[in-house]
Amino acid sequence: MKISEHYVIGLDFGSDSMRALLLSSSDGNIIAEAEFYYPRWKEGRYCSPLGDQFRQHPRDYLEGIEFCVTDVLDQAGDTIRKRVRGISVGTTGSTPVAVDRKGVPLALYPEFEHNPNAMFFLWKDHTAQGETEEINHINSLSSTDYLKYVGGTYSSEWFWAKFLHMTRADAAVRRACYSWVEHCDWVPFLLTGGKDVRQLMRSRCAAGHKALWAEAFGGLPKREFFRKIDPVFGEFPGVFFKATHTCDKAAGYIAPEWASVLRLPENVLIGVGGIDAHFAAVGAGVTPGQLCKVMGTSTCDMLVVPGEYGEKPVRGICGQVNGSIIPGMTGMEAGQSAFGDIFNWYAAQFSWMTERMGSSLNGSNAAVRQKVLRILEQEAERIAPADSYMVATDWFNGRRTPEAKNFLKATLSNIDLGIAPGHVYKGLVEASCFGAKHIVEHFRKEGLEINSVLGVGGIAHKSRYIMQTLSDILELPVYIGASRQASALGAGIFAAVVSGAYDRVDEAVEHMTMPGSIRYEPNTDLAPFLRNRYEQYLKLCSFSEKLAEEDRYQEINQSDYL
């Protein structure tokens, strides 16, 4: 350990906005913070929810970097500005983009400025369903199981499926594309002034969990595997890479042009990027045996296992990667494709009506939704357990874990004329928490220990009702991370290591984080009732999945026939 008197910046690029924290590397004290809502995304541009298309323009990110970093530095003053020594970046993932040989996203060129296929494919973009099925099918025929370290099933949310979809959806973008780059890799490349994408440093977090990179394979799967999926892969040597880097390594020094724009010293080191949820686990102080559940629009559920987990693959999850989350440990990732999105969707049904009827619920759409959610929570809390009989699945954006199937849809059952809005909301909360229990039980079946939950993210801090329900259903204590900006704090922790304040991540975590003061204990009296409800949830899951599989089979056959 070698703590020095300097400062670091953690950047967190979320789904709706980006945030920056300016931190003291000695104790993690927040000197200043800033937030920037992506303007094009906020307007709903380049997205088609009914078509599962969610794209983000790189200009939203560029404007966010300049605004947030400048803002926190201006708040702090020139004395601290001159003593900033490191910046690290966490982003959503898998959120890749087509770039040219210089590493410039194609949407930054005039001819592609308004082309969604030239923009970042946000993590929840599910337009690559067909390509996902092809990848899974070709892997089933392969002598090497290239999916065994990502749970055995590839997802339409991930790197290669999105790349293949892009090449088929847009010939112009395909011709101009040289490489396919994750958001968390592009930002450090940008800030260090990269001019040749072949020199871009790939994050082990993103490469291992989203792009099939594994030490056991010596890197990526063999090129022949990709060519069997589609010969188009042979046309893009620029998308293949071998080396990956953990987030405690430096990508380089800040480029002179960015140092000038942000008025920073030119000796500021930029860290290798990572996935925002992984950084949140670090910022919350995750420990072995503790499931860190980052709860926002979706969830990312993570475990860290000391040392290298070895060759045993854990089925049905989103990856196990030595050196991801915390270098020196094996990171395990699972999650739910929709969590907060479910509650926002339901609240939006009411806020939409209030707007049309000119209700006295004044404020922006988001503010009205928050008021509606508070009312729904109050109603749900009043409903006795025995009166809660609606059962639902949580697959509003497909299923991520166990076993990714993004084509699945949510099902609501046991509905009659006695159902009120509070009953529906209660059923949706329970469904979300039952989905979390399904993940916990799956990890345990695979031999992994979970003795508590670490809650991180907006919902963990905002909703006492959801957190207590989660604890009751899991029959586990739920601790709430101290920081409301855990991803940005985690990025700052990595920046402190990268810039030399600490030798190891665990040392930085010890000095720069605080234990949470909020803890939820399960209500043991409810356990028998909720176990029975969970069994009903599993039966509904089985029934709904069977119907969806049959529909999917007919859809594919009909498509082939046509």
Side-chain angles (χ1 to χ4, degrees), residues 495-559:
V497 177
V498 165
S499 60
Y502 301 93
D503 294 320
R504 299 194 317 271
V505 174
D506 60 338
E507 291 179 347
V509 169
E510 181 182 350
H511 285 84
M512 295 179 70
T513 63
M514 294 175 55
S517 59
I518 301 174
R519 169 175 172 156
Y520 296 90
E521 291 288 348
N523 184 340
T524 55
D525 292 340
L526 289 177
F529 173 78
L530 290 174
R531 288 173 195 162
N532 180 61
R533 293 274 290 166
Y534 178 61
E535 290 303 316
Q536 294 176 44
Y537 163 85
L538 292 178
K539 289 177 182 177
L540 181 60
C541 285
S542 178
F543 174 75
S544 301
E545 185 170 355
K546 182 179 178 181
L547 287 182
E549 293 278 11
E550 291 175 357
D551 289 345
R552 187 71 173 162
Y553 178 78
Q554 292 175 4
E555 179 184 323
I556 293 171
N557 282 353
Q558 185 178 25
S559 175

Side-chain angles (χ1 to χ4, degrees), residues 434-452:
F434 288 144
K437 184 179 180 73
H438 201 184
I439 292 172
V440 168
E441 294 302 311
H442 182 77
F443 269 125
R444 286 172 169 167
K445 285 177 184 176
E446 293 290 325
L448 292 157
E449 178 187 357
I450 296 176
N451 49 44
S452 66

Side-chain angles (χ1 to χ4, degrees), residues 95 104 126 134 154 169 179 203 214 273 355 484 553 555:
T95 301
V104 177
H126 288 169
E134 291 177 55
Y154 206 68
S179 190
S203 164
E355 289 167 28
R484 290 177 177 266
Y553 178 78
E555 179 184 323

Side-chain angles (χ1 to χ4, degrees), residues 386-464:
D387 295 330
S388 175
Y389 46 90
M390 189 193 93
V391 181
T393 64
D394 54 312
W395 302 333
F396 280 73
N397 198 27
R399 184 180 66 208
R400 185 178 294 164
T401 312
E403 190 182 350
K405 290 186 179 179
N406 298 119
F407 62 84
L408 293 175
K409 305 295 182 184
T411 303
L412 280 64
S413 70
N414 283 11
I415 296 174
D416 60 24
L417 294 177
I419 290 284
H423 291 98
V424 176
Y425 185 77
K426 189 178 186 73
L428 294 176
V429 170
E430 288 183 348
S432 301
C433 296
F434 288 144
K437 184 179 180 73
H438 201 184
I439 292 172
V440 168
E441 294 302 311
H442 182 77
F443 269 125
R444 286 172 169 167
K445 285 177 184 176
E446 293 290 325
L448 292 157
E449 178 187 357
I450 296 176
N451 49 44
S452 66
V453 173
L454 178 60
V456 182
I459 292 175
H461 287 277
K462 292 176 183 175
S463 180
R464 179 191 61 79

Side-chain angles (χ1 to χ4, degrees), residues 268-289:
V268 172
L269 280 163
I270 309 298
V272 169
I275 295 173
D276 57 353
H278 293 190
F279 279 14
V282 172
V286 68
T287 58

Side-chain angles (χ1 to χ4, degrees), residues 1-4 6 8 25-26 495-503 507:
M1 180 179 68
K2 40 190 177 185
I3 299 174
S4 58
H6 68 237
V8 293
S25 62
S26 62
V497 177
V498 165
S499 60
Y502 301 93
D503 294 320
E507 291 179 347

Side-chain angles (χ1 to χ4, degrees), residues 470-492:
L470 182 67
S471 178
D472 292 343
I473 286 174
L474 295 182
E475 299 181 55
L476 288 171
V478 175
Y479 301 87
I480 306 302
S483 176
R484 290 177 177 266
Q485 301 288 357
S487 291
L489 174 58

